[in-house]
Structures are given as structure tokens and as C-alpha cells.
Amino acid sequence: MIGRVLKSTGSWYEVVGENQKQYTCRIRGKLRLEGFKESNPIAVGDRVEFEADEKEGIIIRILARDNHMLRQSVKRTGHASVLAANIDQVLVMATLKLPRTSLGFIDRVLVSAESFRIPQVVVINKIDLLDRDEVGDLESITNIYESIGVKVLSISAINDSSVEPCMETLKNKVTLISGHSGVGKSTLLNRLSPRIKQPTGTISDYTEKGTHTTTFAEMFQLDENTFIIDTPGIKEWGLVDMEPQEISDYFPEMRDLRLSCKFGARCLHLNEPKCAILEAVQKGFIAPSRYQSYYSMATGEDNRK
Ligand SMILES: Nc1nc2c(ncn2[C@@H]2O[C@H](COP(=O)(O)OP(=O)(O)OP(=O)(O)O)[C@@H](O)[C@H]2O)c(=O)[nH]1
Ligand SMILES: [Mg+2]
Ligand SMILES: [Zn+2]
């Protein structure tokens, strides 16, 4: 039977079969995914072939992946792990307060997803907390991302009215949800399905940050073809093996423009003469915050902050 891995501990795996039943599986012998040197070759979202009795099974094959999202450790450069596989879209959850998500963080997740050719959506949560000025900020942020073709939803995961627009966006897809600790990822999942009972955390009064309640990635099934992957909150999102020349490819508003730079493919768009991207920033066609994110990624600043 073919199934999808919902949860992966390294010694056993929770798998949902095509028959919609769940099985606890182990791996047969020394199964390895070609090209991967991981100690745990199976990630959440992997499609596997397995043999099972009523409740337990043995995984005999890992099917080729359509894609995967890697998570690079910011501290240990060169060390990346597969966060999840076979993803249809990445949902970046952000908040304007408690905690505040920087636009740089959002951009890094978007660029990373774009580099794996995975579509993205941005969800701004906790809009119940915003005063009038902050609602203004919310609108400008929404404009920045919608202008580059990324859908933005504003929600309050503690209110029922948020469920419907989210469901529409998630329907018939596998969605990986990512964001800082405490933004409300697990809260949203719990609201989406009565069967999901993810623990949720509190926000520290002192640091206004979350308390890392979710500690491993896990996929949940909302209906036959709709899956959502809850992940642990992350502080930073490192870029995996990306050449500086490559980064502007993953900014949709820069991708075509960069061909018009005087130095062509060699232009890093930092201070070169006749750079089409710098001109577009000056003329206001590229949002300053987006260029700033680009700049810190291209100069490697982003791995330190
Ligand atoms: N005011 C308000 N609080 C919210 C909202 N959504 C979530 N929270 C609160 O934010 C806190 C953190 O929520 P979680 O769902 O645990 O956050 P998380 O993103 O899963 O965090 P980690 O698992 O640590 O990565 C909880 O106290 C939630 O009740 C919201 O829309 N408005
Ligand atoms: Mg959580
Ligand atoms: Zn340029």
C-alpha cells in the first residue's frame, strides 16, 4: 500500500494509507533514500510503500520526492535537515506584535520556498491585537506582498471567522506552516479541525516571544486531500547553498529586471553602475524593505543578525 508519512521519529513513523487508515510503521532493514546522507532518511510528507496488518506496518520503499524544504541551521553552516517533503505551498505565519515578525524573516522564508519552487502564502495572525496605526502597517505589508503575487490573509486564529478563508487557501493541498515561536501556528491548526489537539504555548511577558511549544514537524489531515504540517517555531531562516548571484532569481519582482543590468548575470545589484534593480528601487517599483532583505541576503549579513 502507498501512504504519506505524518510523523517521523527516526525509529517509527505514523503513516496514513490510501484507505485513510493510520498505521505505525518501522523501516525495513537499511532503507536509504538515494542521494541523501541523512541519519533519518524519511521526512514528514514522504510518500512510502508499506506492508501492514491492522495497525502496524513496515516501510519497504520511499517514493521519489516532488520537492522538499530544507532547514539550514543558522549556527552550524553547512548543516541542513529536511523539514518536510512533497509540499504544495508554504504558509508563512507572521504577527505585528506578540511577537513581532520582521519583514526580513518573511522574505527569507519566501526566498527559500521560491528556491525550491514551492508557492507561498503569508498569513498575518493576531489582528485582534492591532490598534488603528498598526492596522495601517498591516495594509502596507499586505500591499508589498500582494504586489509580488503572494496572497496575504489577515486573521485572528482565536476567532472562528478566520477558519473559512484559511480553509479555502489550504483545500486539496499539502501546506507547510512556518513562523516564529508564539505566532499561533498550532492555534490555527486546532481551529481548523476538532481532531487536531496540538499543545499551544504562552507568550513571555518579558521577551514578548513564544516558548517553543511545538518541538517537531508533524502533518495533519484535514480531509482526504488536504494536509497541513505544523512545525516548531524558528528564530532565523538560513539560506541553504545559495550563490549571491542566484538570490535575485528568487525575488519575483527582480527576476526579469536583472537581465537589463549592465553587468548582466554578474551584477549583484549592490552598487554596480547601470543596475536595473537599483534603478527600480529608486523609482519605487521595488519596495525598500524587499530590497533591504535582498541586500542582507546577498552580502551574507542575514546569517548573523
Ligand atoms: N490575541 C491573540 N492571541 C493568539 C492568537 N493566535 C494565537 N494566540 C496566542 O498565542 C500564543 C501562542 O500560540 P501557539 O499556537 O502556541 O504558537 P505557535 O506558533 O504554535 O508557537 P510554537 O509552537 O512555539 O512555535 C497562545 O497563547 C495563543 O493563544 C490570536 O489570533 N490572537
Ligand atoms: Mg506550535
Ligand atoms: Zn543589477
Side-chain angles (χ1 to χ4, degrees):
M1 185 164 30
I2 302 291
R4 291 177 196 255
V5 176
L6 299 175
K7 189 170 166 178
S8 154
T9 69
S11 48
W12 55 269
Y13 305 87
E14 205 62 40
V15 177
V16 58
E18 289 163 322
N19 60 0
Q20 303 299 310
K21 285 214 276 188
Q22 281 189 31
Y23 301 87
T24 302
C25 296
R26 284 175 197 284
I27 283 190
R28 169 176 290 167
K30 284 244 175 285
L31 198 55
R32 281 281 177 268
L33 190 66
E34 269 171 49
F36 276 85
K37 296 179 217 80
E38 303 268 324
S39 52
N40 177 6
I42 301 185
V44 166
D46 262 327
R47 283 187 288 261
V48 293
E49 185 179 344
F50 66 107
E51 290 165 351
D53 57 24
E54 269 306 289
K55 282 195 172 117
E56 292 182 4
I58 293 178
I59 294 172
I60 51 175
R61 193 161 69 94
I62 309 165
L63 278 61
R65 289 174 178 161
D66 294 339
N67 61 33
H68 61 247
M69 274 294 269
L70 287 180
R71 205 177 123 181
Q72 163 118 45
S73 154
V74 177
K75 297 217 180 68
R76 296 167 57 196
T77 30
H79 180 89
S81 54
V82 177
L83 190 57
N86 303 317
I87 305 154
D88 295 316
Q89 63 184 359
V90 169
L91 185 162
V92 191
M93 185 176 268
T95 43
L96 270 61
K97 60 201 310 196
L98 297 177
R100 178 167 180 95
T101 307
S102 69
L103 298 185
F105 176 87
I106 298 176
D107 292 334
R108 246 163 271 164
V109 183
L110 297 184
V111 162
S112 184
E114 191 72 17
S115 76
F116 294 110
R117 295 181 183 73
I118 304 171
Q120 311 111 41
V121 278
V122 171
V123 170
I124 315 274
N125 189 29
K126 307 201 187 185
I127 56 166
D128 57 291
L129 298 177
L130 304 185
D131 64 28
R132 190 181 296 190
D133 284 351
E134 291 161 335
V135 169
D137 291 349
L138 175 66
E139 281 163 10
S140 25
I141 294 171
T142 304
N143 287 337
I144 292 172
Y145 292 104
E146 292 198 327
S147 74
I148 58 161
V150 173
K151 182 175 196 172
V152 181
L153 291 176
S154 302
I155 67 163
S156 173
I158 52 171
N159 293 319
D160 284 326
S161 55
S162 296
V163 173
E164 243 172 65
C166 286
M167 255 333 254
E168 233 166 78
T169 303
L170 301 174
K171 192 80 188 154
N172 298 331
K173 294 194 169 111
V174 177
T175 303
L176 177 107
I177 174 167
S178 180
H180 288 322
S181 177
V183 293
K185 302 179 293 295
S186 301
T187 304
L188 175 64
L189 260 74
N190 289 343
R191 189 151 294 277
L192 289 168
S193 162
R195 283 187 317 195
I196 303 178
K197 296 194 165 57
Q198 282 289 74
T200 59
T202 50
I203 303 298
S204 146
D205 290 337
Y206 177 62
T207 61
E208 301 198 342
K209 294 201 163 80
T211 43
H212 294 281
T213 309
T214 306
T215 51
F216 53 88
E218 183 170 358
M219 185 159 81
F220 297 89
Q221 189 166 24
L222 296 178
D223 64 37
E224 193 176 340
N225 295 310
T226 308
F227 296 86
I228 184 157
I229 304 169
D230 197 6
T231 66
I234 46 168
K235 246 207 185 115
E236 295 286 336
W237 189 290
L239 301 177
V240 182
D241 293 337
M242 226 177 262
E243 297 299 330
Q245 282 85 353
E246 189 189 345
I247 297 173
S248 56
D249 266 357
Y250 307 131
F251 281 76
E253 70 273 56
M254 298 183 187
R255 201 155 29 210
D256 298 332
L257 261 182
R258 86 203 149 86
L259 301 171
S260 321
C261 295
K262 186 180 177 204
F263 293 151
R266 283 176 301 138
C267 189
L268 280 181
H269 329 299
L270 299 176
N271 49 26
E272 293 88 340
K274 300 229 166 99
C275 166
I277 301 228
L278 288 170
E279 270 169 35
V281 175
Q282 242 145 38
K283 289 184 181 149
F285 296 136
I286 292 177
S289 69
R290 291 278 293 168
Y291 181 72
Q292 226 168 50
S293 295
Y294 169 77
Y295 187 93
S296 73
M297 291 177 209
T299 54
E301 268 176 26
D302 78 301
N303 276 1
R304 287 191 289 273
K305 201 194 129 196

